[in-house]
Amino acid sequence: MRYAFTWEPASGAQPVTGTLMLLTSQTWRGQHRPERCFQVYGLTVGETYTYLAGADFPMRYLALTAPEVVQPVSAVYWLQSPSRTTEDFGRRIWADLSPQREPWVLVTVLFDRDYAPELANLNGFFDSLHASVGS
């Protein structure tokens, strides 16, 4: 599922806009690294690192550029099951070896601009999205 979104921060700061993509799967084969999709659409992945939105809430940050786009954009993603959250596809694959498989959701947020310096200001957005996916 793909959704365009606008999030209005409680602080009264500028609205945050972008596209949210959710991909649910019972097996790791049904999900792949979002970097691949971004590259297919002509975006180049620059800087990438793990960002911790909370103690048990890691996500992957991606800085993205394209030749025809003046301003860089950014994205974050994580994989979420009812019992855990990770940004590591290796952990997602290992989870499938458990006798009790859980459904997983790949959550990808593509922002309309680069939010690297402001990620901490987006924790409310990330927490709300994480809770919604969890339910």
Side-chain angles (χ1 to χ4, degrees):
M1 295 187 279
R2 185 183 306 195
Y3 305 96
F5 72 88
T6 300
W7 179 67
E8 302 279 345
S11 65
Q14 287 275 74
V16 176
T17 58
T19 304
L20 166 67
M21 293 157 278
L22 304 171
L23 180 60
T24 304
S25 181
Q26 280 293 128
T27 72
W28 67 270
R29 289 180 180 95
Q31 296 164 326
H32 60 273
R33 295 180 183 276
E35 289 93 331
R36 288 185 190 168
C37 287
F38 294 140
Q39 289 169 340
V40 167
Y41 285 107
L43 295 167
T44 301
V45 178
E47 184 179 15
T48 178
Y49 57 83
T50 297
Y51 172 73
L52 287 174
D56 293 322
F57 186 9
M59 65 180 66
R60 197 81 188 148
Y61 164 85
L62 307 169
L64 304 165
T65 58
E68 68 280 354
V69 178
V70 176
Q71 188 173 355
V73 297
S74 60
V76 296
Y77 69 83
W78 67 88
L79 295 136
Q80 184 174 342
S81 77
S83 64
R84 57 191 131 169
T85 300
T86 185
E87 84 298 3
D88 183 351
F89 274 84
R91 289 181 190 219
R92 167 66 184 98
I93 292 168
W94 278 106
D96 271 6
L97 298 177
S98 170
Q100 305 296 331
R101 278 192 181 171
E102 297 180 299
W104 284 77
V105 180
L106 170 58
V107 179
T108 306
V109 180
L110 175 61
F111 296 107
D112 290 342
R113 68 178 183 83
D114 185 14
Y115 280 96
E118 303 164 59
L119 285 177
N121 298 336
L122 298 176
N123 279 352
F125 170 72
F126 297 140
D127 290 341
S128 295
L129 183 53
H130 189 257
S132 294
V133 170
S135 64

Tab-separated table of all heavy atoms in Angstrom, residues 38-91:
chain	number	residue	atom	x	y	z
A	38	PHE	N	14.374	2.485	-4.968
A	38	PHE	CA	14.786	3.868	-5.201
A	38	PHE	C	15.746	3.950	-6.387
A	38	PHE	O	15.652	4.858	-7.210
A	38	PHE	CB	15.426	4.459	-3.943
A	38	PHE	CG	14.467	4.599	-2.790
A	38	PHE	CD1	14.869	4.313	-1.501
A	38	PHE	CD2	13.161	5.017	-2.988
A	38	PHE	CE1	13.999	4.438	-0.434
A	38	PHE	CE2	12.273	5.148	-1.929
A	38	PHE	CZ	12.695	4.854	-0.650
A	39	GLN	N	16.659	2.995	-6.496
A	39	GLN	CA	17.607	2.993	-7.606
A	39	GLN	C	16.898	2.760	-8.940
A	39	GLN	O	17.239	3.389	-9.941
A	39	GLN	CB	18.684	1.943	-7.373
A	39	GLN	CG	19.623	2.340	-6.246
A	39	GLN	CD	20.546	1.218	-5.800
A	39	GLN	OE1	20.284	0.048	-6.049
A	39	GLN	NE2	21.624	1.589	-5.126
A	40	VAL	N	15.895	1.897	-8.957
A	40	VAL	CA	15.124	1.650	-10.183
A	40	VAL	C	14.433	2.930	-10.647
A	40	VAL	O	14.318	3.188	-11.838
A	40	VAL	CB	14.095	0.513	-9.965
A	40	VAL	CG1	13.085	0.456	-11.087
A	40	VAL	CG2	14.810	-0.817	-9.814
A	41	TYR	N	14.014	3.768	-9.703
A	41	TYR	CA	13.338	5.022	-10.045
A	41	TYR	C	14.316	6.167	-10.281
A	41	TYR	O	13.916	7.327	-10.365
A	41	TYR	CB	12.327	5.392	-8.967
A	41	TYR	CG	11.092	4.530	-9.036
A	41	TYR	CD1	10.854	3.537	-8.090
A	41	TYR	CD2	10.167	4.692	-10.062
A	41	TYR	CE1	9.728	2.728	-8.166
A	41	TYR	CE2	9.046	3.891	-10.149
A	41	TYR	CZ	8.828	2.918	-9.195
A	41	TYR	OH	7.717	2.122	-9.278
A	42	GLY	N	15.622	5.859	-10.374
A	42	GLY	CA	16.606	6.868	-10.733
A	42	GLY	C	17.233	7.615	-9.575
A	42	GLY	O	17.980	8.568	-9.798
A	43	LEU	N	16.943	7.215	-8.351
A	43	LEU	CA	17.546	7.871	-7.192
A	43	LEU	C	18.861	7.182	-6.841
A	43	LEU	O	18.992	5.969	-6.956
A	43	LEU	CB	16.598	7.818	-5.994
A	43	LEU	CG	15.294	8.600	-6.155
A	43	LEU	CD1	14.305	8.235	-5.066
A	43	LEU	CD2	15.570	10.095	-6.125
A	44	THR	N	19.817	7.957	-6.404
A	44	THR	CA	21.101	7.437	-5.960
A	44	THR	C	21.145	7.490	-4.445
A	44	THR	O	20.834	8.524	-3.844
A	44	THR	CB	22.258	8.278	-6.540
A	44	THR	OG1	22.177	8.227	-7.966
A	44	THR	CG2	23.602	7.759	-6.088
A	45	VAL	N	21.516	6.378	-3.839
A	45	VAL	CA	21.624	6.318	-2.387
A	45	VAL	C	22.997	6.836	-1.999
A	45	VAL	O	24.020	6.306	-2.435
A	45	VAL	CB	21.423	4.882	-1.861
A	45	VAL	CG1	21.595	4.842	-0.353
A	45	VAL	CG2	20.051	4.354	-2.264
A	46	GLY	N	23.018	7.896	-1.198
A	46	GLY	CA	24.276	8.455	-0.704
A	46	GLY	C	24.533	7.935	0.694
A	46	GLY	O	24.733	6.740	0.894
A	47	GLU	N	24.454	8.817	1.644
A	47	GLU	CA	24.688	8.450	3.042
A	47	GLU	C	23.583	7.523	3.546
A	47	GLU	O	22.414	7.687	3.205
A	47	GLU	CB	24.718	9.721	3.894
A	47	GLU	CG	25.045	9.481	5.333
A	47	GLU	CD	25.099	10.762	6.146
A	47	GLU	OE1	24.608	11.811	5.676
A	47	GLU	OE2	25.638	10.707	7.253
A	48	THR	N	23.959	6.554	4.363
A	48	THR	CA	22.994	5.653	4.974
A	48	THR	C	23.511	5.263	6.358
A	48	THR	O	24.717	5.050	6.531
A	48	THR	CB	22.737	4.412	4.091
A	48	THR	OG1	21.824	3.543	4.752
A	48	THR	CG2	23.994	3.677	3.746
A	49	TYR	N	22.623	5.243	7.326
A	49	TYR	CA	23.017	4.855	8.680
A	49	TYR	C	21.787	4.431	9.471
A	49	TYR	O	20.646	4.680	9.070
A	49	TYR	CB	23.763	5.984	9.402
A	49	TYR	CG	23.008	7.290	9.511
A	49	TYR	CD1	22.077	7.517	10.523
A	49	TYR	CD2	23.239	8.321	8.597
A	49	TYR	CE1	21.402	8.726	10.611
A	49	TYR	CE2	22.574	9.518	8.681
A	49	TYR	CZ	21.653	9.722	9.704
A	49	TYR	OH	20.988	10.908	9.789
A	50	THR	N	22.044	3.782	10.601
A	50	THR	CA	20.967	3.385	11.501
A	50	THR	C	20.655	4.538	12.430
A	50	THR	O	21.559	5.138	13.022
A	50	THR	CB	21.374	2.142	12.323
A	50	THR	OG1	21.574	1.052	11.421
A	50	THR	CG2	20.292	1.761	13.324
A	51	TYR	N	19.379	4.864	12.539
A	51	TYR	CA	18.900	5.900	13.457
A	51	TYR	C	18.030	5.221	14.507
A	51	TYR	O	17.166	4.412	14.160
A	51	TYR	CB	18.100	6.965	12.700
A	51	TYR	CG	17.425	7.945	13.620
A	51	TYR	CD1	18.173	8.904	14.293
A	51	TYR	CD2	16.056	7.898	13.838
A	51	TYR	CE1	17.564	9.799	15.159
A	51	TYR	CE2	15.439	8.781	14.700
A	51	TYR	CZ	16.199	9.729	15.360
A	51	TYR	OH	15.589	10.608	16.231
A	52	LEU	N	18.252	5.539	15.779
A	52	LEU	CA	17.430	4.979	16.853
A	52	LEU	C	16.366	5.993	17.259
A	52	LEU	O	16.670	7.019	17.867
A	52	LEU	CB	18.296	4.632	18.073
A	52	LEU	CG	19.183	3.420	17.925
A	52	LEU	CD1	20.084	3.265	19.139
A	52	LEU	CD2	18.344	2.168	17.740
A	53	ALA	N	15.128	5.693	16.919
A	53	ALA	CA	14.009	6.547	17.322
A	53	ALA	C	13.600	6.247	18.760
A	53	ALA	O	12.885	7.022	19.376
A	53	ALA	CB	12.823	6.350	16.388
A	54	GLY	N	14.036	5.104	19.289
A	54	GLY	CA	13.761	4.687	20.656
A	54	GLY	C	14.667	3.512	20.986
A	54	GLY	O	15.378	2.993	20.115
A	55	ALA	N	14.631	3.087	22.240
A	55	ALA	CA	15.520	2.010	22.697
A	55	ALA	C	15.384	0.745	21.860
A	55	ALA	O	16.376	0.106	21.534
A	55	ALA	CB	15.247	1.711	24.161
A	56	ASP	N	14.179	0.376	21.501
A	56	ASP	CA	13.932	-0.826	20.701
A	56	ASP	C	13.322	-0.477	19.345
A	56	ASP	O	12.505	-1.225	18.814
A	56	ASP	CB	13.008	-1.782	21.459
A	56	ASP	CG	13.677	-2.352	22.693
A	56	ASP	OD1	14.879	-2.628	22.625
A	56	ASP	OD2	12.990	-2.505	23.722
A	57	PHE	N	13.709	0.655	18.811
A	57	PHE	CA	13.112	1.131	17.562
A	57	PHE	C	14.191	1.678	16.617
A	57	PHE	O	14.312	2.881	16.415
A	57	PHE	CB	12.065	2.188	17.876
A	57	PHE	CG	11.261	2.677	16.705
A	57	PHE	CD1	11.324	2.071	15.456
A	57	PHE	CD2	10.418	3.760	16.847
A	57	PHE	CE1	10.590	2.534	14.378
A	57	PHE	CE2	9.669	4.239	15.783
A	57	PHE	CZ	9.759	3.638	14.553
A	58	PRO	N	14.973	0.753	16.000
A	58	PRO	CA	15.956	1.195	15.010
A	58	PRO	C	15.320	1.330	13.631
A	58	PRO	O	14.392	0.607	13.287
A	58	PRO	CB	16.980	0.057	15.019
A	58	PRO	CG	16.162	-1.153	15.336
A	58	PRO	CD	15.074	-0.681	16.279
A	59	MET	N	15.820	2.260	12.868
A	59	MET	CA	15.388	2.407	11.477
A	59	MET	C	16.605	2.759	10.635
A	59	MET	O	17.626	3.194	11.162
A	59	MET	CB	14.290	3.462	11.350
A	59	MET	CG	14.716	4.857	11.691
A	59	MET	SD	13.402	6.089	11.522
A	59	MET	CE	12.280	5.573	12.785
A	60	ARG	N	16.479	2.564	9.349
A	60	ARG	CA	17.560	2.876	8.419
A	60	ARG	C	17.251	4.204	7.756
A	60	ARG	O	16.158	4.401	7.212
A	60	ARG	CB	17.665	1.767	7.365
A	60	ARG	CG	18.946	1.779	6.624
A	60	ARG	CD	20.018	1.104	7.459
A	60	ARG	NE	21.304	1.286	6.829
A	60	ARG	CZ	22.421	1.396	7.507
A	60	ARG	NH1	22.409	1.329	8.807
A	60	ARG	NH2	23.548	1.566	6.881
A	61	TYR	N	18.207	5.135	7.806
A	61	TYR	CA	18.081	6.426	7.142
A	61	TYR	C	18.837	6.367	5.812
A	61	TYR	O	19.928	5.805	5.737
A	61	TYR	CB	18.668	7.545	8.013
A	61	TYR	CG	18.903	8.801	7.232
A	61	TYR	CD1	17.880	9.711	7.039
A	61	TYR	CD2	20.138	9.059	6.640
A	61	TYR	CE1	18.081	10.853	6.279
A	61	TYR	CE2	20.341	10.190	5.881
A	61	TYR	CZ	19.309	11.082	5.702
A	61	TYR	OH	19.512	12.193	4.940
A	62	LEU	N	18.261	6.958	4.766
A	62	LEU	CA	18.887	7.017	3.446
A	62	LEU	C	18.847	8.449	2.914
A	62	LEU	O	17.776	9.062	2.885
A	62	LEU	CB	18.142	6.130	2.444
A	62	LEU	CG	17.903	4.674	2.801
A	62	LEU	CD1	16.934	4.043	1.816
A	62	LEU	CD2	19.212	3.922	2.813
A	63	ALA	N	19.981	8.965	2.488
A	63	ALA	CA	20.029	10.235	1.761
A	63	ALA	C	19.960	9.889	0.280
A	63	ALA	O	20.707	9.029	-0.193
A	63	ALA	CB	21.305	10.985	2.077
A	64	LEU	N	19.067	10.542	-0.451
A	64	LEU	CA	18.815	10.203	-1.852
A	64	LEU	C	18.961	11.436	-2.739
A	64	LEU	O	18.512	12.522	-2.374
A	64	LEU	CB	17.406	9.629	-2.000
A	64	LEU	CG	17.080	8.418	-1.136
A	64	LEU	CD1	15.584	8.165	-1.101
A	64	LEU	CD2	17.826	7.199	-1.646
A	65	THR	N	19.560	11.234	-3.910
A	65	THR	CA	19.672	12.305	-4.893
A	65	THR	C	19.292	11.747	-6.263
A	65	THR	O	19.302	10.544	-6.477
A	65	THR	CB	21.108	12.870	-4.961
A	65	THR	OG1	22.008	11.805	-5.273
A	65	THR	CG2	21.514	13.529	-3.654
A	66	ALA	N	18.983	12.671	-7.167
A	66	ALA	CA	18.683	12.305	-8.552
A	66	ALA	C	19.204	13.431	-9.443
A	66	ALA	O	19.188	14.597	-9.038
A	66	ALA	CB	17.190	12.101	-8.758
A	67	PRO	N	19.645	13.098	-10.657
A	67	PRO	CA	20.207	14.135	-11.538
A	67	PRO	C	19.241	15.278	-11.817
A	67	PRO	O	19.648	16.424	-11.871
A	67	PRO	CB	20.524	13.377	-12.828
A	67	PRO	CG	20.589	11.950	-12.450
A	67	PRO	CD	19.697	11.778	-11.254
A	68	GLU	N	17.962	14.992	-11.983
A	68	GLU	CA	17.000	16.045	-12.346
A	68	GLU	C	16.371	16.730	-11.142
A	68	GLU	O	15.591	17.661	-11.295
A	68	GLU	CB	15.902	15.471	-13.258
A	68	GLU	CG	14.970	14.487	-12.584
A	68	GLU	CD	15.512	13.077	-12.445
A	68	GLU	OE1	16.588	12.771	-12.964
A	68	GLU	OE2	14.842	12.279	-11.786
A	69	VAL	N	16.723	16.291	-9.924
A	69	VAL	CA	16.158	16.889	-8.709
A	69	VAL	C	17.194	17.813	-8.087
A	69	VAL	O	18.322	17.394	-7.803
A	69	VAL	CB	15.737	15.789	-7.701
A	69	VAL	CG1	15.200	16.403	-6.435
A	69	VAL	CG2	14.713	14.862	-8.336
A	70	VAL	N	16.818	19.074	-7.895
A	70	VAL	CA	17.743	20.070	-7.370
A	70	VAL	C	18.082	19.789	-5.909
A	70	VAL	O	19.230	19.836	-5.506
A	70	VAL	CB	17.140	21.488	-7.511
A	70	VAL	CG1	18.041	22.525	-6.884
A	70	VAL	CG2	16.879	21.795	-8.968
A	71	GLN	N	17.067	19.509	-5.132
A	71	GLN	CA	17.237	19.326	-3.693
A	71	GLN	C	17.225	17.836	-3.344
A	71	GLN	O	16.378	17.091	-3.839
A	71	GLN	CB	16.087	20.034	-2.969
A	71	GLN	CG	16.229	20.104	-1.492
A	71	GLN	CD	15.134	20.956	-0.869
A	71	GLN	OE1	14.335	21.567	-1.565
A	71	GLN	NE2	15.096	20.989	0.431
A	72	PRO	N	18.151	17.371	-2.490
A	72	PRO	CA	18.128	15.963	-2.088
A	72	PRO	C	16.890	15.642	-1.264
A	72	PRO	O	16.272	16.533	-0.666
A	72	PRO	CB	19.404	15.790	-1.267
A	72	PRO	CG	19.812	17.158	-0.862
A	72	PRO	CD	19.227	18.111	-1.852
A	73	VAL	N	16.521	14.380	-1.252
A	73	VAL	CA	15.409	13.906	-0.435
A	73	VAL	C	15.958	12.829	0.499
A	73	VAL	O	17.117	12.440	0.395
A	73	VAL	CB	14.237	13.356	-1.290
A	73	VAL	CG1	13.638	14.455	-2.153
A	73	VAL	CG2	14.677	12.183	-2.135
A	74	SER	N	15.125	12.361	1.411
A	74	SER	CA	15.574	11.300	2.318
A	74	SER	C	14.453	10.305	2.540
A	74	SER	O	13.287	10.562	2.214
A	74	SER	CB	16.056	11.882	3.644
A	74	SER	OG	15.038	12.600	4.297
A	75	ALA	N	14.841	9.172	3.088
A	75	ALA	CA	13.886	8.112	3.388
A	75	ALA	C	14.343	7.396	4.651
A	75	ALA	O	15.514	7.449	5.021
A	75	ALA	CB	13.787	7.124	2.230
A	76	VAL	N	13.396	6.754	5.299
A	76	VAL	CA	13.702	5.853	6.407
A	76	VAL	C	12.886	4.587	6.189
A	76	VAL	O	11.847	4.609	5.537
A	76	VAL	CB	13.383	6.454	7.798
A	76	VAL	CG1	14.256	7.662	8.090
A	76	VAL	CG2	11.911	6.793	7.939
A	77	TYR	N	13.397	3.470	6.740
A	77	TYR	CA	12.599	2.250	6.708
A	77	TYR	C	12.939	1.385	7.895
A	77	TYR	O	14.002	1.512	8.504
A	77	TYR	CB	12.770	1.490	5.391
A	77	TYR	CG	14.115	0.859	5.153
A	77	TYR	CD1	14.429	-0.398	5.692
A	77	TYR	CD2	15.062	1.479	4.361
A	77	TYR	CE1	15.656	-0.993	5.452
A	77	TYR	CE2	16.287	0.895	4.112
A	77	TYR	CZ	16.583	-0.343	4.664
A	77	TYR	OH	17.799	-0.919	4.424
A	78	TRP	N	11.989	0.510	8.231
A	78	TRP	CA	12.201	-0.510	9.242
A	78	TRP	C	11.267	-1.675	8.966
A	78	TRP	O	10.324	-1.560	8.194
A	78	TRP	CB	11.998	0.031	10.659
A	78	TRP	CG	10.596	0.427	11.009
A	78	TRP	CD1	9.610	-0.373	11.519
A	78	TRP	CD2	10.012	1.732	10.909
A	78	TRP	NE1	8.451	0.346	11.734
A	78	TRP	CE2	8.683	1.642	11.373
A	78	TRP	CE3	10.492	2.971	10.468
A	78	TRP	CZ2	7.827	2.742	11.416
A	78	TRP	CZ3	9.641	4.059	10.507
A	78	TRP	CH2	8.328	3.927	10.972
A	79	LEU	N	11.573	-2.798	9.573
A	79	LEU	CA	10.744	-4.005	9.489
A	79	LEU	C	10.140	-4.218	10.866
A	79	LEU	O	10.841	-4.131	11.879
A	79	LEU	CB	11.602	-5.199	9.088
A	79	LEU	CG	12.187	-5.071	7.680
A	79	LEU	CD1	13.634	-5.493	7.667
A	79	LEU	CD2	11.369	-5.875	6.713
A	80	GLN	N	8.847	-4.503	10.899
A	80	GLN	CA	8.142	-4.594	12.174
A	80	GLN	C	7.232	-5.814	12.218
A	80	GLN	O	6.455	-6.053	11.298
A	80	GLN	CB	7.315	-3.315	12.373
A	80	GLN	CG	6.614	-3.216	13.680
A	80	GLN	CD	5.943	-1.854	13.849
A	80	GLN	OE1	6.261	-0.895	13.159
A	80	GLN	NE2	5.006	-1.783	14.777
A	81	SER	N	7.352	-6.590	13.296
A	81	SER	CA	6.453	-7.710	13.561
A	81	SER	C	5.713	-7.385	14.860
A	81	SER	O	6.011	-6.377	15.506
A	81	SER	CB	7.249	-9.017	13.706
A	81	SER	OG	7.880	-9.080	14.971
A	82	PRO	N	4.774	-8.223	15.270
A	82	PRO	CA	4.096	-7.954	16.541
A	82	PRO	C	5.034	-7.941	17.751
A	82	PRO	O	4.730	-7.312	18.757
A	82	PRO	CB	3.086	-9.092	16.661
A	82	PRO	CG	2.798	-9.482	15.246
A	82	PRO	CD	4.116	-9.311	14.540
A	83	SER	N	6.188	-8.602	17.647
A	83	SER	CA	7.059	-8.698	18.813
A	83	SER	C	8.390	-7.963	18.698
A	83	SER	O	9.115	-7.855	19.681
A	83	SER	CB	7.345	-10.175	19.127
A	83	SER	OG	8.066	-10.768	18.067
A	84	ARG	N	8.753	-7.470	17.511
A	84	ARG	CA	10.047	-6.790	17.386
A	84	ARG	C	10.085	-5.847	16.189
A	84	ARG	O	9.272	-5.935	15.278
A	84	ARG	CB	11.185	-7.780	17.326
A	84	ARG	CG	11.085	-8.785	16.215
A	84	ARG	CD	12.094	-9.892	16.392
A	84	ARG	NE	11.370	-11.147	16.231
A	84	ARG	CZ	11.936	-12.293	16.105
A	84	ARG	NH1	13.222	-12.391	16.162
A	84	ARG	NH2	11.227	-13.372	15.943
A	85	THR	N	11.123	-4.987	16.225
A	85	THR	CA	11.371	-4.031	15.152
A	85	THR	C	12.859	-4.059	14.846
A	85	THR	O	13.681	-4.088	15.761
A	85	THR	CB	10.960	-2.608	15.586
A	85	THR	OG1	9.571	-2.600	15.909
A	85	THR	CG2	11.235	-1.588	14.503
A	86	THR	N	13.192	-4.043	13.562
A	86	THR	CA	14.596	-4.031	13.153
A	86	THR	C	14.728	-3.298	11.831
A	86	THR	O	13.769	-3.171	11.076
A	86	THR	CB	15.154	-5.468	13.030
A	86	THR	OG1	16.563	-5.388	12.750
A	86	THR	CG2	14.459	-6.261	11.948
A	87	GLU	N	15.933	-2.833	11.564
A	87	GLU	CA	16.257	-2.262	10.257
A	87	GLU	C	17.157	-3.213	9.488
A	87	GLU	O	17.590	-2.929	8.388
A	87	GLU	CB	16.919	-0.884	10.421
A	87	GLU	CG	18.402	-0.863	10.670
A	87	GLU	CD	18.920	-1.542	11.943
A	87	GLU	OE1	18.162	-2.147	12.726
A	87	GLU	OE2	20.128	-1.507	12.146
A	88	ASP	N	17.431	-4.367	10.083
A	88	ASP	CA	18.388	-5.334	9.569
A	88	ASP	C	17.665	-6.484	8.860
A	88	ASP	O	16.977	-7.279	9.499
A	88	ASP	CB	19.225	-5.857	10.738
A	88	ASP	CG	20.307	-6.829	10.337
A	88	ASP	OD1	20.340	-7.265	9.161
A	88	ASP	OD2	21.117	-7.173	11.207
A	89	PHE	N	17.842	-6.578	7.546
A	89	PHE	CA	17.179	-7.643	6.786
A	89	PHE	C	17.684	-9.017	7.189
A	89	PHE	O	16.964	-10.010	7.082
A	89	PHE	CB	17.328	-7.418	5.282
A	89	PHE	CG	16.262	-6.531	4.726
A	89	PHE	CD1	16.388	-5.155	4.786
A	89	PHE	CD2	15.116	-7.067	4.174
A	89	PHE	CE1	15.390	-4.330	4.296
A	89	PHE	CE2	14.110	-6.252	3.676
A	89	PHE	CZ	14.253	-4.885	3.739
A	90	GLY	N	18.919	-9.117	7.669
A	90	GLY	CA	19.441	-10.394	8.169
A	90	GLY	C	18.625	-10.897	9.352
A	90	GLY	O	18.285	-12.085	9.435
A	91	ARG	N	18.281	-10.007	10.255
A	91	ARG	CA	17.435	-10.395	11.409
A	91	ARG	C	16.047	-10.810	10.941
A	91	ARG	O	15.444	-11.715	11.497
A	91	ARG	CB	17.343	-9.262	12.416
A	91	ARG	CG	18.613	-9.039	13.153
A	91	ARG	CD	18.478	-7.925	14.151
A	91	ARG	NE	19.785	-7.611	14.663
A	91	ARG	CZ	20.017	-7.318	15.914
A	91	ARG	NH1	19.029	-7.276	16.774
A	91	ARG	NH2	21.241	-7.052	16.310
